[in-house]
Amino acid sequence: MTMSPKEYQNFAKSREPARSIPGNCAKAFLVGGLICVLGQAIQEVFMYGLNMSKQDASNPTVAVLILISVILTSFGVYDKIAQWAGAGTAVPVTGFANSMCSAALEHRAEGLVLGVGANMFKLAGSVIVFGVVSAFLIALVYLVLGIEGGH
């Protein structure tokens, strides 16, 4: 039986499980919010437990969140959470760390340089490029409008 692309698309759509958009949004909001609450709790530990300023505590907080994400990814836990929560795990920095760690784990059999290094940075490269371009465009807007970017 040969189907045209249109017929196949209709067939696939009829077999696709129904998704609850409000339910998916609620799960994403809940899990993304919990990740942010965890980040805030970690920052509070650095600030009050180690007597750091808010600014000094921010970098180690992000590092700990990334470490937790990489550990959970390595054990296959983060992906299960992500399947349930959807975009809630993709938006925070933990989602980026998960993506890079997953690529590294997937290609580790190909070697450290051509497997892990090359494939891990395929994702990171596009994120860095778009981040730099976005920052440049925002800087141009600030320059044209005469807005200072200091604190």
Side-chain angles (χ1 to χ4, degrees), residues 90-137:
V91 176
V93 70
T94 55
F96 182 64
N98 166 260
S99 299
M100 289 194 61
C101 182
S102 294
L105 290 172
E106 186 176 331
H107 297 284
R108 69 180 179 261
E110 297 171 28
L112 288 176
V113 175
L114 296 177
V116 173
N119 289 296
M120 183 170 70
F121 290 107
K122 282 181 182 175
L123 171 73
S126 61
V127 171
I128 291 168
V129 167
F130 285 112
V132 169
V133 170
S134 299
F136 178 75
L137 292 175

